[in-house]
């Protein structure tokens, strides 16, 4: 049911958004929409909610806003309005704060503050003494003061006015765009670095920033600082932040993929960047997101003039040659790989001679010293190291410098310090050898240099980066496979003629011809013909599906051996394939809660490793064997190099990315990483009946009428006429049956749907209602005992019976059957075997529910459940300590889906259900839940393996590099071996994550 009310007290979009959110959160409210201009709220509820309850909620929220029936709102004549002067305000944040403080005073209907005029206009039910306003503002901190108009407020006993900049000012703002603690920390740091800011504290939960300033700083300056930082975060005055749907996202540049880049370690949650580069937090190369733009858009160019690019074939405007299809540019990750490969071979070319020169010292009667003395060979090593350090691997030092400057310490901090110290030590040994003690000198008197250690370390790290780049390209292979499904051409029927067009030229309602073996270009419905379609690439099911006129088809699926015509219903980003790719991309960037462990460890990791390196140097220098300083120096560098925070950071996101892609290939769409983690812990599954356990394709089996003036054909006519206004699956079944029986429709008026009960309308001036017994009670129509018995016989067979009442008199009924899906029984048994309690909740009657439950061996079920009943059942189970998953496909399931720990929507269901769920099953059967459960367990096991490997690697590697084995076994770890181990640790984590591609779910 839907009602419209008047709203008082709103002054801006922030108010509108706040009221809308407050009303939407009230139990029983399905949705609330507020119109600022009309000052009205339209509320859809699943049962009647008294006006007093709505008024109380707004009053408890601060009392600034009030709600009344249309036409009942208080008039100005019933209230009084006064204006006052306000002192102490310097910005919109002050204005908003004063306005809120005054509005919260008992008896105040509304308060509006003008910053420019420094005035407050207060509307009140009865006169409130000025002293009360003054006391409230004084108790609030005394920064602002209120007085009658024309009375200049001055400091007590002096003529000096309060200066605007007296003391430290504190303002609170709204922050949008944050998703995790990394975002919070980044925003806090960015705001704190603005000149004039004394301190900035950001609250992630409240999405607020509290900023202390010495002098007023315009909001625009904060906005510019955040925009210059990448534009991911935005700042507003309190109450003025637009709703998420109103925030305009800047159009991303087109390229291969989307032109959207993100950090593979998700250092700042799902923050994205608009150009390639490296992450400002961890320093890793950003990964480009993939989508359909580069696949479906074909461009043409001239072979002689490549600067000529057109969207269609034709001739070159310069030379007249026929244009040819333009070859796609390399993807961002491919460019990164090729760039790293080129640098790696150059590094090898210069590092290998350095390594040979250094290792020759271990050869008796070193033949190289017959050519030149050691000091000269040291200069050769120095010359050869320059291209390696300053070209091939210089990016590592840039990242290390940036990490120290921003104090986002990471693996490149350790590499930069370790390799940099070794190289600078060697240069100093060449230029100023006299400052080094004898311990660092060779038998020839030359200082022992470490150019080979520095260059080999850097080259091996570069090799690790190269292997990671190649492995990264495989982690999102699922998306790439999905992209390959999209054709870039289609055959459009125009005036009876077949015209080949680009996919991006297809518009809604276009008629398309699909030939045998072709990929279906967009989502639509078959208008002529029949065929079989291979949907395995989207549903994961290998058996082709029969399709005929009226059936839906999806883009990317493959036509069988027949021609058919289809009407385009969804194009571009609205197609199922595009939405799947979008969902996979979003989920791949999301963070699982288990990643918080890695984040906490990583926060202390680098400083601790640097400290251990310093301690290692000190211990070896004091207690080590001669040459003690050499041992100390080498082992300290080995500690820095072997430590790998990168492996720890990659442990979770790599598994999530591969797992989400694996799910998409099997028709299981994951909204975020949290869903995977929670699903692994689920011990109770609630399932809806219609469309979840059953096929959701109901058919009319019988129309019944009683001898009271209405025939079966008349009962059918009223049922079809009433249901023609409804989108419910049962209603659609009756309308379809009516068409088959060639039933003539009667015009209906004042139609309304009563959630969980049925529908009603006025037909031929008669009040008509159709639905379950609760609907009949709602319509004040009594069901005769004879009719109840007749209906019960059908319900015991698992059929649904809806009663028809005309003018409060039940005159007939309709029996509707809905087959149980072939996979339901097997899937439920598998879930039960895994220890999951399966409970069926249905709005149908007890007898129908009992029949279905018996067939499926379900011991636990509840019937006649309204949406709020399903919601309460979820809450009850959660209070008992259960981890609850809810599977459903209808609007009435949306509240329970949203409340459950894991909401699972059937892909065949409504958009509302899918939006409320964390997991969507494309095929829409319970077998998909079994797949999702297997997948979640596999992903979580893989994540734990990765975290264990990363933690054990560092726990063992750092002490070994520090030399703990030397007193017992005489073993030391060369910095070069440490670099090799460090590089392969990250690759090993990625390789383990890639194993998820081969699992069977």
């Amino acid at each position: 049911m839907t009602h419209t009310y008047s709203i008082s007290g709103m002054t801006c979009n922030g108010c509108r958004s706040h009221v809308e959110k407050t009303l939407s959160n009230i139990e029983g409210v399905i949705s609330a929409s507020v119109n600022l201009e009309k000052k009205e709220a339209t509320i859809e509820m699943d049962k009647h909610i008294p006006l007093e309850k709505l008024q109380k909620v707004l009053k408890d929220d601060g009392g600034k806003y009030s709600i009344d029936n249309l036409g009942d709102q208080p008039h100005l004549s019933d209230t009084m309005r006064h204006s006052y002067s306000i002192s102490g305000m310097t910005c919109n944040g002050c204005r908003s704060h004063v306005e809120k403080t005054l509005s919260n005073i008992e008896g105040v209907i509304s308060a509006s503050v003008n910053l420019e005029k420094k005035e407050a206009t207060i509307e009140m039910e009865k006169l409130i003494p000025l002293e009360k306003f003054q006391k409230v503002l004084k108790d609030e901190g005394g920064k602002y003061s209120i007085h009658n108009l024309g009375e200049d407020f001055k400091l007590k006993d002096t003529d000096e006015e309060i200066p605007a900049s007296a003391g430290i000012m504190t303002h609170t703002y709204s922050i949008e765009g944050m998703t995790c603690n990394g975002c919070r920390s980044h925003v806090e740091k960015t705001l704190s670095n603005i000149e004039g800011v004394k301190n900035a504290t950001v609250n992630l939960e409240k999405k607020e920033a509290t900023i202390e300033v010495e002098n007023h700083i315009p909001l625009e300056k904060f906005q510019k600082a955040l925009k210059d930082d990448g534009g991911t975060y935005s700042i507003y005055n309190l109450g003025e932040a637009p709703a998420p749907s109103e925030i305009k996202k800047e159009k991303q540049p087109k390229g291969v993929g989307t032109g959207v880049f993100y950090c593979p370690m998700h250092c700042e949650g799902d923050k994205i960047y608009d150009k390639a580069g490296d992450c400002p937090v961890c320093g890793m190369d950003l990964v480009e997101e993939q989508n359909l733009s580069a696949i479906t858009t074909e461009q043409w160019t001239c072979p002689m003039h490549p600067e000529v690019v057109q969207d269609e074939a034709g001739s070159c405007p310069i030379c007249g040659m026929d244009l040819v299809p333009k070859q796609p540019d390399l993807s961002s990750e491919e460019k990164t790989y090729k760039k790293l490969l080129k640098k790696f071979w150059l590094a090898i070319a210069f590092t290998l001679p350095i390594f040979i020169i250094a290792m020759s010292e271990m050869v008796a009667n070193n033949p190289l010293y017959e050519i030149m003395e050691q000091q000269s060979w040291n200069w050769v090593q120095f010359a050869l190291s320059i291209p390696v350090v300053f070209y091939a691997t210089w990016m590592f030092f840039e990242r290390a410098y940036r990490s120290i400057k921003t104090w986002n310490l990471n693996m490149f901090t350790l590499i930069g310090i370790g390799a940099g110290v070794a190289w600078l030590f060697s240069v100093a040994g060449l230029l100023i050898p006299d400052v080094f003690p004898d311990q660092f000198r060779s038998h020839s008197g030359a200082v022992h240099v470490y150019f080979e250690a520095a260059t080999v370390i850097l080259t091996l790290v570069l090799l690790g980066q190269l292997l990671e780049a190649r492995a990264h390209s495989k982690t999102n292979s699922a998306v790439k496979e999905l992209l390959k499904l999209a054709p870039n051409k289609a055959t459009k029927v125009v005036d009876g003629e077949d015209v080949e067009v680009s996919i991006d030229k297809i518009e809604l309602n276009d008629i398309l011809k699909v030939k045998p073996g072709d990929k279906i270009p967009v989502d639509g419905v078959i208008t002529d013909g029949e065929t079989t379609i291979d949907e395995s690439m989207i549903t994961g099911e290998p058996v082709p599906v029969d399709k005929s006129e009226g059936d839906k088809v999806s883009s990317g699926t493959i036509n069988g051996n027949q021609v058919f015509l289809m009407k385009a219903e969804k194009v571009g980003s609205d197609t199922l394939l595009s939405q799947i790719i979008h969902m996979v991309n979003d989920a791949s960037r999301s963070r699982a809660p288990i990643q918080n462990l890695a984040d906490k460890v990583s926060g202390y990791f680098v400083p601790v490793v640097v400290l251990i390196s310093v301690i290692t140097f000190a211990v070896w220098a004091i207690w080590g064997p001669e040459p003690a300083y050499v041992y100390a120096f080498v082992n300290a560098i080995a500690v820095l190099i072997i430590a790998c925070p990168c492996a720890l950071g990659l442990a979770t996101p790599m598994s999530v990315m591969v797992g989400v892609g694996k799910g998409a290939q099997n028709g299981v769409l994951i909204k975020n990483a949290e869903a995977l983690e929670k699903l692994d812990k689920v011990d109770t599954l609630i399932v809806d009946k219609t469309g979840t356990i059953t096929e959701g394709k109901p058919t009319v089996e019988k129309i019944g009428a009683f001898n009271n003036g209405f025939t079966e054909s008349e009962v059918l006519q009223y049922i079809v006429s009433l249901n023609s206004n409804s989108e419910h699956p049962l209603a659609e079944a009756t309308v379809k049956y009516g068409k088959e029986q060639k039933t003539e429709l009667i015009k209906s008026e004042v139609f309304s749907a009563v959630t969980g009960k049925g529908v009603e309308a006025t037909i031929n001036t008669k009040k008509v209602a159709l639905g379950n017994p609760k609907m009949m009670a709602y319509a004040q129509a009594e069901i005769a005992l004879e009719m109840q018995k007749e209906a019960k016989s059908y319900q015991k067979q698992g059929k649904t019976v809806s009663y028809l009442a005309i003018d409060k008199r039940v005159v007939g009924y309709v029996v509707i059957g809905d087959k149980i899906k072939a996979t339901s029984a097997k899937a439920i048994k598998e879930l039960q075997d895994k220890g999951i309690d399966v409970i069926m909740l249905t709005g149908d009657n007890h007898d129908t529910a009992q029949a279905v439950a018996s067939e499926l061996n379900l011991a636990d079920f509840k019937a006649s459940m309204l949406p709020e009943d399903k919601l309460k059942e979820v809450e009850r189970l959660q209070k008992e300590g259960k981890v609850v998953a809810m599977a459903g496909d209808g609007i009435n399931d949306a509240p329970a889906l949203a409340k459950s720990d894991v909401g699972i929507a059937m892909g065949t269901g409504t958009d509302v259900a899918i939006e409320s769920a964390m997991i969507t099953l494309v095929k829409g059967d319970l077998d998909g839940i079994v797949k999702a459960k297997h997948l979640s367990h596999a992903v979580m096991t893989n994540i734990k393996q990765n975290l264990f490997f990363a933690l054990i690697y560092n726990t063992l590697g750092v002490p070994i590099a520090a030399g703990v084995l030397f007193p017992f076994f005489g073993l030391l770890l060369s910095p070069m071996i440490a670099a090799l181990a460090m590089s392969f640790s990250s690759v090993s984590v990625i390789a383990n994550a890639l194993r998820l591609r081969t699992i069977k779910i």
Side-chain angles (χ1 to χ4, degrees):
M1 57 185 70
T2 303
H3 297 287
T4 303
Y5 302 90
S6 291
I7 302 290
S8 302
M10 298 187 300
T11 58
C12 65
N13 252 319
C15 301
R16 179 200 61 73
S17 176
H18 187 80
V19 172
E20 199 166 75
K21 187 176 181 181
T22 303
L23 294 174
S24 297
N25 288 337
I26 297 173
E27 187 177 347
V29 171
I30 296 171
S31 67
S33 175
V34 177
N35 188 305
L36 177 63
E37 197 173 332
K38 293 183 178 180
K39 296 191 176 178
E40 289 180 3
T42 302
I43 306 176
E44 185 183 348
M45 27 187 133
D46 52 29
K47 62 179 178 181
H48 176 64
I49 300 174
L51 174 64
E52 291 73 22
K53 183 174 181 180
L54 303 177
Q55 290 172 329
K56 184 177 184 302
V57 170
L58 287 179
K59 186 177 181 182
D60 292 346
D61 188 53
K64 181 177 177 182
Y65 314 108
S66 55
I67 185 169
D68 300 275
N69 287 316
L70 282 177
D72 289 351
Q73 66 269 33
H75 295 284
L76 291 179
S77 58
D78 301 324
T79 63
M80 54 185 68
R81 179 180 290 181
H82 292 284
S83 293
Y84 302 90
S85 290
I86 302 288
S87 300
M89 298 187 301
T90 58
C91 67
N92 253 319
C94 303
R95 179 200 62 73
S96 175
H97 189 78
V98 172
E99 196 169 79
K100 187 176 181 181
T101 303
L102 294 174
S103 297
N104 288 339
I105 296 173
E106 189 176 350
V108 171
I109 296 171
S110 68
S112 176
V113 177
N114 188 304
L115 176 64
E116 198 172 332
K117 293 182 178 180
K118 297 188 177 179
E119 289 180 7
T121 302
I122 305 175
E123 188 181 339
M124 38 194 141
E125 296 168 351
K126 59 183 179 180
L127 181 64
I128 299 173
L130 174 63
E131 290 73 23
K132 185 170 182 179
F133 296 133
Q134 290 173 331
K135 183 178 184 304
V136 170
L137 287 177
K138 186 178 180 182
D139 292 345
E140 186 71 16
K143 182 182 173 184
Y144 314 108
S145 57
I146 185 170
H147 36 283
N148 289 317
L149 285 175
E151 295 179 3
D152 292 329
F153 179 74
K154 301 180 185 296
L155 288 172
K156 193 174 182 181
D157 301 328
T158 72
D159 291 331
E160 182 186 356
E161 293 189 2
I162 294 178
S165 60
I168 299 295
M169 293 183 278
T170 303
H171 299 296
T172 303
Y173 302 90
S174 291
I175 303 289
E176 293 295 328
M178 300 186 298
T179 59
C180 67
N181 256 317
C183 303
R184 180 199 60 73
S185 175
H186 191 81
V187 172
E188 202 166 73
K189 188 179 291 184
T190 303
L191 295 174
S192 297
N193 289 337
I194 296 173
E195 189 178 347
V197 171
K198 297 291 290 181
N199 184 48
T201 305
V202 177
N203 187 305
L204 175 64
E205 196 173 334
K206 293 183 177 178
K207 295 186 177 180
E208 290 180 2
T210 302
I211 305 175
E212 294 179 10
V213 293
E214 294 174 335
N215 293 294
H216 172 62
I217 297 177
L219 175 64
E220 292 74 22
K221 187 169 182 179
F222 296 132
Q223 290 172 330
K224 184 177 186 300
L226 289 177
K227 186 177 181 182
D228 292 346
D229 187 56
T232 302
Y233 315 109
S234 47
I235 185 168
Y236 305 89
N237 286 316
L238 280 179
E240 294 182 2
S245 58
E246 296 173 358
I247 298 174
K248 292 182 179 179
K249 296 182 179 178
E250 291 184 14
K251 191 175 181 182
Q252 298 291 350
K254 282 191 176 182
V256 175
T258 57
V260 174
F261 299 82
Y262 63 95
C263 171
M265 285 173 55
H266 309 160
C267 296
E268 295 183 85
D270 59 359
K271 181 175 180 179
I272 55 175
Y273 306 83
D274 59 7
K275 58 183 178 182
D278 46 71
C279 172
V281 177
C282 70
M284 292 192 67
D285 286 311
L286 299 177
V287 178
E288 187 178 22
E289 190 180 82
Q290 303 288 313
N291 84 342
L292 291 172
S293 61
I295 306 296
T296 58
T297 304
E298 187 171 31
Q299 293 183 319
W300 301 73
T301 185
C302 174
M304 299 294 293
H305 301 89
E307 69 275 11
V308 174
V309 178
Q310 294 182 3
D311 291 335
E312 295 179 352
S315 56
C316 174
I318 299 175
C319 66
M321 285 187 68
D322 287 334
L323 300 180
V324 296
K326 186 181 179 183
Q327 294 299 311
D329 294 333
L330 290 174
S331 66
S332 172
E333 61 190 22
E334 192 64 28
K335 288 177 181 176
T336 299
Y337 177 77
K338 286 190 175 295
K339 181 176 71 175
L340 289 174
L341 186 62
K342 177 183 174 184
K343 289 185 174 183
F344 175 70
W345 288 121
L346 184 140
I348 285 285
F350 285 92
T351 299
L352 197 56
I354 296 173
F355 184 75
I356 292 170
I357 293 169
M359 291 300 104
S360 69
E361 293 179 18
M362 301 175 66
V363 179
N365 300 319
N366 188 345
L368 293 180
Y369 291 164
E370 296 178 7
I371 303 172
M372 287 189 296
E373 61 182 14
Q374 184 180 4
Q375 184 72 0
S376 299
W377 283 114
N378 287 350
W379 280 102
V380 172
Q381 291 183 62
F382 166 68
L384 291 170
S385 72
I386 289 174
V388 178
V389 172
F390 290 96
Y391 173 70
T393 62
W394 181 245
M395 58 185 173
F396 299 153
F397 295 101
E398 289 179 328
R399 295 174 183 181
Y401 171 74
R402 187 162 58 246
S403 73
I404 295 171
K405 183 181 176 182
T406 60
W407 209 243
N408 289 315
L409 306 180
N410 53 52
M411 65 175 283
F412 297 105
T413 315
L414 300 175
I415 294 164
I417 294 173
V421 166
W423 191 81
L424 290 173
F425 174 92
S426 304
V427 173
L430 281 178
L431 299 177
I432 46 174
D434 295 340
V435 301
F436 290 88
D438 291 340
Q439 283 188 341
F440 286 104
R441 297 177 182 276
S442 65
H443 61 276
S444 66
V447 174
H448 188 79
V449 294
Y450 296 93
F451 289 117
E452 92 287 353
T455 54
V456 169
I457 286 168
L458 292 170
T459 301
L460 288 172
V461 173
L462 186 59
L463 173 63
Q465 294 287 291
L466 185 70
L467 295 174
E468 276 185 41
R470 177 54 73 204
H472 273 309
S473 68
K474 294 179 182 177
T475 58
N476 61 4
S477 61
V479 176
K480 292 176 182 175
E481 291 301 316
L482 289 169
L483 288 171
K484 291 177 184 176
L485 301 177
N488 52 24
K489 293 286 185 184
T491 303
K492 180 177 173 181
V493 180
V494 182
D495 297 330
E497 297 290 328
D498 293 351
V499 180
E500 191 177 71
V501 296
S502 175
I503 291 294
D504 56 346
K505 301 296 182 186
I506 298 175
E507 297 179 358
L508 290 178
N509 300 320
D510 279 353
I511 300 299
L512 308 171
K513 178 182 282 188
V514 184
K515 299 173 183 176
D518 282 355
K519 293 175 183 174
I520 294 170
V522 294
D523 292 1
V525 61
I526 295 177
T527 57
D528 185 21
E530 56 184 33
T531 188
T532 57
I533 292 179
D534 179 3
E535 297 181 335
S536 59
M537 60 289 300
I538 287 180
T539 64
E541 297 297 327
V543 181
V545 181
D546 292 332
K547 300 280 185 178
S548 57
E549 190 174 330
D551 286 337
K552 304 275 186 182
V553 291
S554 300
S555 61
T557 55
I558 301 172
N559 184 24
N561 54 6
Q562 307 228 24
V563 178
F564 66 88
L565 297 180
M566 63 173 285
K567 182 171 76 172
E569 291 188 332
K570 290 183 178 180
V571 299
S573 61
D574 293 330
T575 64
L576 175 62
L577 179 60
S578 185
Q579 288 176 341
I580 289 174
I581 291 168
H582 176 71
M583 188 178 283
V584 171
N585 280 326
D586 284 351
S588 297
R589 291 204 308 270
S590 63
R591 295 162 60 90
I594 197 173
Q595 194 170 343
N596 293 333
L597 169 66
D599 290 347
K600 286 179 182 177
V601 175
S602 298
Y604 300 99
F605 189 91
V606 174
V608 168
V609 169
V610 173
L611 179 62
I612 292 173
S613 177
V614 172
I615 293 171
T616 299
F617 183 88
V619 169
W620 278 92
I622 297 170
W623 292 290
E626 292 299 331
Y629 282 112
V630 173
Y631 279 116
F633 184 73
V634 171
N635 290 331
I637 289 176
V639 168
L640 291 173
I641 297 302
I642 198 168
C644 188
C646 184
L648 199 59
L650 285 171
T652 300
M654 289 299 102
S655 298
V656 169
M657 185 181 292
V658 179
V660 165
K662 180 71 176 180
Q665 290 176 321
N666 287 271
V668 179
L669 305 182
I670 313 293
K671 184 173 277 188
N672 53 46
E674 185 181 1
L676 281 170
E677 183 168 341
K678 283 186 174 180
L679 185 58
D680 189 42
K681 300 173 183 175
V682 163
D683 53 26
T684 304
L685 172 67
I686 294 175
V687 291
D688 179 42
K689 180 178 75 71
T690 306
T692 304
I693 288 176
T694 63
E695 290 184 348
K697 296 178 181 177
T699 55
V700 175
E701 297 191 2
K702 180 175 173 58
I703 299 291
F706 289 88
N707 297 323
N708 46 16
F710 289 91
T711 64
E712 287 185 7
S713 60
E714 287 175 322
V715 169
L716 176 61
Q717 187 176 33
Y718 274 99
I719 289 173
V720 174
S721 300
L722 184 56
N723 274 338
S724 62
N725 299 296
S726 174
E727 294 181 354
H728 194 282
L730 297 183
E732 290 178 359
T734 59
V735 172
K736 183 180 179 183
Y737 181 76
K739 285 181 180 177
E740 291 170 357
Q741 302 300 315
K742 299 183 178 176
T743 302
E744 187 177 341
L745 292 180
I746 312 172
K747 185 180 179 183
S748 60
E749 298 173 329
V750 201
F751 173 86
S752 67
V754 184
T755 306
K757 297 177 183 178
V759 293
E760 61 179 354
T762 301
I763 301 176
N764 285 342
T765 70
K766 294 181 175 67
K767 191 72 173 176
V768 183
L770 177 70
N772 57 26
K774 290 181 180 179
M775 187 66 203
M776 295 301 99
Y778 180 85
Q780 299 177 4
E782 188 176 346
I783 307 171
L785 191 60
E786 182 188 350
M787 187 181 295
Q788 289 182 27
K789 286 181 180 177
E790 195 168 325
K792 196 158 190 148
S793 65
Y794 291 108
Q795 290 166 347
K796 285 181 177 178
Q797 300 172 37
K799 315 294 184 187
T800 299
V801 178
S802 292
Y803 299 95
L804 176 70
I806 299 177
D807 286 339
K808 300 183 180 180
R809 188 168 54 129
V810 180
V811 299
Y813 62 88
V814 56
V815 179
I816 298 175
D818 188 6
K819 284 174 61 180
I820 294 175
K821 292 176 184 174
T823 56
S824 293
K826 181 186 173 189
I828 288 172
K829 186 176 185 310
E830 271 197 66
L831 292 167
Q832 289 171 332
D833 289 345
K834 290 180 179 296
I836 296 174
D837 294 329
V838 183
I839 304 168
M840 181 178 75
L841 302 183
T842 177
D844 226 325
N845 65 85
H846 183 274
D847 290 326
T848 302
Q850 175 75 64
V852 173
S854 298
E855 189 171 339
L856 296 172
N857 293 319
L858 271 177
D860 203 349
F861 71 91
K862 290 189 178 181
S864 303
M865 299 287 283
L866 296 172
E868 60 265 32
D869 297 326
K870 293 182 181 180
L871 180 63
K872 287 174 184 174
E873 184 65 13
V874 171
E875 291 172 339
R876 181 186 70 78
L877 290 165
Q878 288 174 329
K879 284 177 183 175
E880 291 177 3
K882 304 285 189 183
V883 183
V884 182
M886 165 78 189
D889 74 331
I891 292 174
N892 58 336
D893 298 320
L897 283 169
K899 182 64 180 175
S900 63
D901 295 290
V902 181
I904 304 173
M906 301 293 131
T908 50
T910 64
D911 292 339
V912 176
I914 292 171
E915 186 62 32
S916 304
M918 297 175 80
I919 294 174
T920 300
L921 307 177
V922 176
K923 193 180 177 189
D925 62 26
L926 293 181
D927 193 46
I929 300 179
V930 178
K931 289 181 181 178
K933 182 68 177 171
H934 286 159
L935 178 66
S936 69
H937 182 71
V939 170
M940 292 313 300
T941 301
N942 194 269
I943 288 173
K944 289 169 186 173
Q945 290 168 350
N946 281 346
L947 287 173
F948 176 80
F949 172 80
L951 287 168
I952 288 296
Y953 165 83
N954 286 296
T955 303
L956 296 177
V958 171
I960 291 172
V964 295
L965 298 180
F966 185 77
F968 308 103
F969 305 104
L971 294 176
L972 286 175
L973 193 67
S974 163
M976 292 179 281
I977 302 298
L980 187 65
M982 188 279 295
S983 294
F984 278 93
S985 63
S986 297
V987 176
S988 299
V989 165
I990 299 175
N992 187 49
L994 287 173
R995 289 193 309 109
L996 288 170
R997 296 192 303 170
T998 62
I999 63 167
K1000 290 185 178 180
I1001 62 171

